[in-house]
Amino acid sequence: MKRLINLAVFAISYSVLIFETTLLRFFTFKMVSTRAFIIVSIAFLGIGMAGTYVYLINRQTQNKISFSFLGNFALAYSISIPLSVMFFAWLPFSPQPHHVFLDILFCLLYMTTFAIPFFLSGICISSILSLKEFNAGYILSFDLLGAGLGCISSVLFLRNLGGYGLLVLSILSAYLSALIFYRGAHCVVNKRRLLLPVILSACLLIFPIAMIHLYNFDIVSTNREEHHFKIFKKDFHGILATYWNPISRVDLSHEGSCDKYEYLFGLAEKYRNKKYIGRYILLDSGAATRQFRITDKAGDEEFLKHFLFSIPYRLDKGASNILIVGPGGGLEILIAKAFHTTHIDAVDINSDIINILRGNNKKDPLRNIYSDLTGSNDKTKIEYHVDEGRSFLFKNRADQYDIVQLTGVDLLSALMSGGMLLSESYLYTQEAFSCYYGALKNDGYIQVCYWGGPYALRLFVTFLKVLDEKGIVQPEQSLVALSDGTNFVNIIAKKGKFSSLELDRIRSICLEDNFQILFLAGRYFDPGERGYNADASLYTELCQKEKRKELFKNSLFNHRPTHDDKPFFYSIINTETGNKLKDYLTIFSQNKIVLVGIVFSFILIFLPYLLTYHKKRTYEKKSLNLLFYFGLIGLAFSLMEVTLIQKVSIFVGGPYYSMSVTLPAILIFYSCGAYVTSKIRLAKLRALMFTVFGIVLCGLFFYYFLDRIINIFFYFNHLQRMIFAALIVSLPSFLLGFQAPLGLEIIKMDDTKNALIPWAWGINSYGNVVGALIFAPLSQILGFNLLLVTTCFCYLIAFVALAVWRSRRGAY
């Protein structure tokens, strides 16, 4: 029977991980992607609440939990999955970031909706851990193995099954665990109850079809309701096809026509006076791109030559070889073809975007028309590459491009990584810009088009920093910054200095198309002169190092360049004013949900303690050291897991491969460590001491040598790098697998009733919640390298707390 129970634990964990990762694709539609970490918090919060609940009922039932009890909760969990998703998708409200009360209210509503399924699943795991006949290490090994394989399944099956189909797989896995528990209880179950998950699975598959018919979309409201989403539904008549992948959910619209700025941004104002035929593409509703349909009529493609990012082509130098990072719907390709570019490399990490451009998507009845426009012809050869931009350049090192172009490329569609995610981009760090610069021919151009304001200023300063570090004298003479007259900015950096002829040509183009000049290679001008933007003086001041430092300190926004250790490009509030305490408080207060989640977690951590305070239950009160141990290792595990994923993300080729290689490796090797604890004959505390020192040594080694090792192995082929990345995370993950199981077994040695085990496991989950919430603020303060080594020392502190508790066990 124990083997079947192990299978039930595996099935529950497999289901939970699939549910958690798939939920992210739904959650980012209503929540801005920088809050996507809430998914992890919700999952662990629900599991933590389950541990607290099991602890409280164990006190009343004397730890007499039955398998029929577990079967009921597993069945309820399988039923709650479709109900919570359909309710969430139908709910006609979304958070309001500019209204504090409504924002918190709706966030709490969503958190409650999804905490229920995780609570129900967590009861099963917590209850089994509390049963004396089951070894904690053995149970946790199946728990983490199920999570690891669930992560792999999410990657492998999402594209073919889609989000709703993958949720059905999660339901069926939970249903299997319920049947196993019922078999262990030898009880007769109402057949109607057993049919409920099957019926609801069918309803879940029908649900998106019905919603699209009623609302032109399967989710009622999103975080972009007044912008991209509204245009998508009204001007382009809603969903034609949906493509699911771990990078983002991609929604392709029907063909329509539009003259809205969101569709035509970057185009000269005089060409925005008519509706253009094309299609709209949404990525998790937080980012959008567009397709244009060009006919054979004479002059129909003329407007393509008047986009802001067509300027390098208009300098009459010709472009034989260009690189487009993030081609989106193919507009940049159409522009390059309009100027008869000889060769184009188009690189995108999202394979579904590449398939749309190539016409490989069978769901699209217009695929041949649009793929002909973005395909090769007798003048231009186009090669598509599914890869992360920097990874592609590392594999193809050469100064070969006339233009390297990034237009509105971002990662505002949150990455699916078992909940361990970071909605930041490594495309805009100093190291990234240095990589682009190295790929240029002499006199080649990098152009980065992005939204204006503090983002554009930050990009501009990053270019200045990179050029300065490369020893370029007067780097400002290699830079130009232009605007389309609204909120879209194009920054162009040249490998070499702009000539007077080029600058005169750029100025004449801006006057012709009514573009605004923000900065023109250090040229001085009269602020009232036609064509110059009022903010131009700010760009000029940033070129002067002394004024730059003063602006960095006094500005409301953060204009400092980012780097790979702190890639927080989207965190634009200035948190480096010189007052460290104020800066740290600003970092943590930027997201209200972080503070709410931390407070709520601490309340739940100490709830059993508060409930027993007046009853003078000294055992619980004197176990605070033990509970501190589990909370701290839970927090440290969350921090270390996501930090390791971030550290090797670019090395393995981007977040898709981090999801499919790094995260499963962490979970599976953790599972192996937990399994080994079930076979250990050495004294538990001594074994724990050896593994903790091993973790600390790994942290120190990574702090000093990991970046150097990664740079050396970057020259290996892709498969070798993925294998090496799995090996990098294997040893620390294996050692992490000892911490919770040995801690639980040490409790069993002193707590004959196993009363504290569910509470300890719940607190471990609350620690995971806090770790997920504070990862982004902490890494902003410390950087990934320092955070990684700090996290390792957290395990040492936790071990000391456990050793102190163990030494005082006689007092209990």
Side-chain angles (χ1 to χ4, degrees):
M1 187 61 210
K2 281 188 177 182
R3 291 183 178 179
L4 281 177
I5 296 302
N6 291 331
L7 178 59
V9 169
F10 174 90
I12 281 278
S13 297
Y14 181 82
S15 170
V16 166
L17 210 290
I18 290 177
F19 180 48
E20 179 186 340
T21 52
T22 310
L23 196 56
L24 179 60
R25 294 276 66 85
F26 289 88
F27 206 76
T28 49
F29 266 82
K30 293 197 179 188
M31 304 283 286
V32 293
S33 60
T34 50
R35 291 182 177 181
F37 60 80
I38 294 177
I39 290 297
V40 192
S41 306
I42 293 171
F44 286 124
L45 189 64
I47 293 170
M49 291 169 63
T52 302
Y53 173 77
V54 172
Y55 164 75
L56 292 173
I57 64 171
N58 272 352
R59 287 173 51 207
Q60 298 176 353
T61 63
Q62 300 299 313
N63 205 24
K64 294 180 180 179
I65 292 174
S66 66
F67 287 129
S68 61
F69 170 87
L70 298 181
N72 290 337
F73 275 100
L75 188 66
Y77 164 58
S78 69
I79 292 169
S80 69
I81 293 172
L83 290 177
S84 61
V85 170
M86 289 189 288
F87 173 73
F88 173 79
W90 168 83
L91 196 66
F93 304 106
S94 56
Q96 307 292 320
H98 302 295
H99 297 82
V100 176
F101 177 75
L102 290 177
D103 189 35
I104 293 176
L105 179 65
F106 289 137
C107 287
L108 289 176
L109 176 60
Y110 297 149
M111 291 176 73
T112 303
T113 300
F114 289 119
I116 293 171
F118 292 114
F119 170 77
L120 297 171
S121 65
I123 285 175
C124 300
I125 305 297
S126 300
S127 299
I128 294 170
L129 283 172
S130 69
L131 298 176
K132 195 165 186 179
E133 58 266 33
F134 291 98
N135 180 277
Y138 206 60
I139 292 298
L140 289 180
S141 68
F142 279 90
D143 179 30
L144 271 295
L145 182 63
L149 294 182
C151 179
I152 294 172
S153 297
S154 296
V155 175
L156 295 180
F157 301 146
L158 180 61
R159 194 177 304 280
N160 293 324
L161 295 180
Y164 294 96
L166 201 58
L167 286 172
V168 169
L169 179 61
S170 176
I171 295 167
L172 295 177
S173 182
Y175 187 52
L176 173 64
S177 68
L179 295 178
I180 292 172
F181 286 131
Y182 284 135
R183 181 178 177 182
H186 303 290
C187 62
V188 178
V189 186
N190 188 308
K191 291 183 179 179
R192 290 182 180 178
R193 189 194 304 176
L194 289 178
L195 281 175
L196 267 176
V198 179
I199 295 170
L200 287 172
S201 295
C203 292
L204 187 63
L205 294 176
I206 297 170
F207 176 80
I209 301 171
M211 291 290 285
I212 291 172
H213 178 73
L214 292 172
Y215 300 103
N216 284 343
F217 216 88
D218 57 312
I219 296 176
V220 172
S221 60
T222 81
N223 67 75
R224 304 284 180 178
E225 180 67 32
E226 297 303 320
H227 300 290
H228 301 307
F229 193 60
K230 190 172 182 179
I231 292 171
F232 186 92
K233 290 200 299 183
K234 291 189 175 181
D235 293 86
F236 294 96
H237 320 300
I239 293 176
L240 170 66
T242 296
Y243 309 93
W244 300 81
N245 63 66
I247 304 298
S248 68
R249 167 179 153 161
V250 179
D251 290 295
L252 176 64
S253 76
H254 291 275
E255 191 171 66
S257 61
C258 185
D259 58 359
K260 306 286 194 311
Y261 175 73
E262 288 82 359
Y263 184 63
L264 300 176
F265 64 86
L267 183 59
E269 187 177 1
K270 64 183 178 182
Y271 286 93
R272 290 189 224 146
N273 57 1
K274 73 169 191 174
K275 291 188 174 183
Y276 290 87
I277 297 173
R279 303 190 295 187
Y280 216 50
I281 300 173
L282 285 182
L283 291 85
D284 283 344
S285 90
T289 185
R290 57 265 172 94
Q291 288 188 302
F292 288 89
R293 184 169 180 175
I294 310 299
T295 67
D296 295 330
K297 294 179 182 178
D300 193 44
E301 66 177 24
E302 178 61 26
F303 80 102
L304 294 173
K305 298 179 180 180
H306 295 272
F307 274 91
L308 183 64
F309 31 91
S310 68
I311 287 178
Y313 300 97
R314 299 170 69 178
L315 297 182
D316 303 324
K317 295 181 64 176
S320 60
N321 196 16
I322 73 166
L323 170 66
I324 300 174
V325 179
L331 173 59
E332 294 79 11
I333 293 172
L334 295 179
I335 291 171
K337 289 177 71 175
F339 287 96
H340 308 303
T341 301
T342 307
H343 183 271
I344 301 171
D345 280 318
V347 180
D348 200 295
I349 197 170
N350 195 325
S351 60
D352 285 320
I353 292 293
I354 296 295
N355 286 333
I356 289 172
L357 295 175
R358 282 175 168 166
N360 293 342
N361 46 329
K362 295 181 180 178
K363 299 177 183 178
D364 180 9
L366 300 176
R367 60 184 180 276
N368 292 330
I369 294 172
Y370 283 92
S371 63
D372 284 346
L373 295 172
T374 54
S376 300
N377 57 27
D378 56 347
K379 295 179 181 177
T380 306
K381 181 181 179 182
I382 301 172
E383 291 188 43
Y384 290 103
H385 310 271
V386 179
D387 206 343
E388 194 270 340
R390 289 174 61 183
S391 177
F392 172 79
L393 286 174
F394 269 110
K395 289 182 287 187
N396 301 272
R397 283 175 176 266
D399 50 349
Q400 59 180 340
Y401 294 110
D402 297 294
I403 299 172
V404 173
Q405 179 166 328
L406 294 85
T407 304
V409 182
D410 58 36
L411 237 56
L412 291 178
S413 52
L415 305 175
M416 178 176 162
S417 53
M420 294 289 104
L421 51 91
L422 181 67
S423 297
E424 290 292 341
S425 177
Y426 290 95
L427 293 173
Y428 299 128
T429 63
Q430 293 178 52
E431 293 86 346
F433 282 25
S434 181
C435 186
Y436 307 146
Y437 190 85
L440 290 177
K441 297 177 183 177
N442 288 330
D443 292 329
Y445 305 98
I446 305 171
Q447 67 168 345
V448 179
C449 306
Y450 206 78
W451 303 111
Y455 297 111
L457 287 165
R458 199 167 199 182
L459 292 171
F460 184 78
V461 173
T462 304
F463 272 121
L464 280 172
K465 181 75 172 176
V466 169
L467 293 172
D468 192 52
E469 289 182 349
K470 290 186 175 295
I472 307 297
V473 180
Q474 294 180 309
E476 66 275 8
Q477 293 187 10
S478 300
L479 290 172
V480 167
L482 312 168
S483 169
D484 67 352
T486 51
N487 192 36
F488 197 68
V489 172
N490 185 15
I491 299 174
I492 306 172
K494 184 180 178 182
K495 195 169 187 178
K497 299 187 186 302
F498 281 98
S499 67
S500 295
L501 288 174
E502 287 175 311
L503 296 177
D504 289 339
R505 177 63 179 145
I506 291 171
R507 191 171 186 282
S508 66
I509 291 171
C510 290
L511 292 174
E512 177 189 348
D513 285 340
N514 203 26
F515 294 143
Q516 293 183 346
I517 298 172
L518 298 168
F519 185 80
L520 201 61
R523 280 194 172 185
Y524 293 98
F525 58 90
D526 180 351
E529 188 176 347
R530 181 172 169 241
Y532 284 96
N533 187 290
D535 295 332
S537 58
L538 194 55
Y539 284 81
T540 304
E541 289 178 10
L542 285 169
C543 291
Q544 304 170 43
K545 288 186 179 180
E546 292 305 316
K547 287 191 176 181
R548 190 188 309 168
K549 291 179 182 178
E550 196 67 24
L551 282 169
F552 284 172
K553 183 178 179 180
N554 298 326
S555 175
L556 175 64
F557 298 106
N558 185 0
H559 302 314
R560 291 174 176 83
T562 59
H563 48 87
D564 284 352
D565 194 45
K566 295 182 179 180
F568 297 95
F569 176 74
Y570 303 115
S571 300
I572 57 172
I573 301 300
N574 191 4
T575 56
E576 297 183 47
T577 61
N579 185 334
K580 289 192 175 182
L581 178 60
K582 177 185 175 183
D583 293 341
Y584 294 163
L585 290 174
T586 302
I587 289 172
F588 277 93
S589 64
Q590 281 182 42
N591 198 315
K592 303 173 286 293
I593 301 303
V594 170
L595 300 176
V596 171
I598 291 173
V599 170
F600 196 56
S601 296
F602 274 98
I603 291 173
L604 291 174
I605 284 172
F606 291 103
L607 181 62
Y609 178 81
L610 297 172
L611 290 175
T612 59
Y613 186 81
H614 65 285
K615 296 180 181 179
K616 298 182 180 180
R617 294 179 63 89
T618 57
Y619 192 79
E620 286 88 341
K621 296 168 188 176
K622 293 182 179 180
S623 298
L624 293 182
N625 274 23
L626 176 68
L627 302 173
F628 173 77
Y629 169 81
F630 281 98
L632 190 55
I633 66 170
L635 179 146
F637 175 70
S638 279
L639 293 175
M640 182 173 286
E641 180 183 11
V642 71
T643 305
L644 284 172
I645 290 171
Q646 293 300 322
K647 288 297 295 179
V648 300
S649 179
I650 298 172
F651 179 67
V652 296
Y656 176 86
Y657 294 105
S658 266
M659 169 65 177
S660 55
V661 176
T662 314
L663 181 59
I666 291 172
L667 295 174
I668 290 171
F669 279 104
Y670 186 105
S671 169
C672 293
Y675 178 79
V676 170
T677 64
S678 67
K679 306 297 182 183
I680 280 181
R681 303 300 176 200
L682 190 66
K684 299 288 190 291
L685 200 63
R686 186 175 299 175
L688 194 60
M689 179 182 68
F690 289 142
T691 59
V692 166
F693 280 112
I695 291 170
V696 172
L697 290 175
C698 283
L700 291 171
F701 179 81
F702 285 168
Y703 181 77
Y704 287 106
F705 301 109
L706 182 57
D707 287 337
R708 300 177 192 177
I709 293 171
I710 285 175
N711 287 334
I712 292 170
F713 282 86
F714 237 124
Y715 296 96
F716 283 42
N717 67 43
H718 194 206
L719 178 60
Q720 291 171 332
R721 280 187 283 138
M722 288 195 295
I723 294 171
F724 185 69
L727 293 175
I728 286 174
V729 303
S730 63
L731 180 57
S733 301
F734 178 75
L735 296 174
L736 293 180
F738 284 73
Q739 309 310 305
L742 285 178
L744 292 174
E745 286 301 312
I746 287 171
I747 292 178
K748 287 186 177 182
M749 292 166 58
D750 295 280
D751 180 11
T752 55
K753 297 180 180 179
N754 295 344
L756 285 174
I757 285 180
W759 190 15
W761 181 244
I763 288 177
N764 182 265
S765 297
Y766 294 135
N768 291 145
V769 173
V770 176
L773 289 171
I774 67 173
F775 168 73
L778 272 185
S779 52
Q780 267 185 270
I781 295 169
L782 301 176
F784 294 147
N785 285 331
L786 188 55
L787 179 59
L788 184 61
V789 73
T790 302
T791 300
C792 293
F793 277 96
C794 286
Y795 280 98
L796 183 59
I797 296 169
F799 171 76
V800 172
L802 182 63
V804 170
W805 176 84
R806 180 84 169 124
S807 67
R808 295 177 179 175
R809 67 188 185 279
Y812 305 144

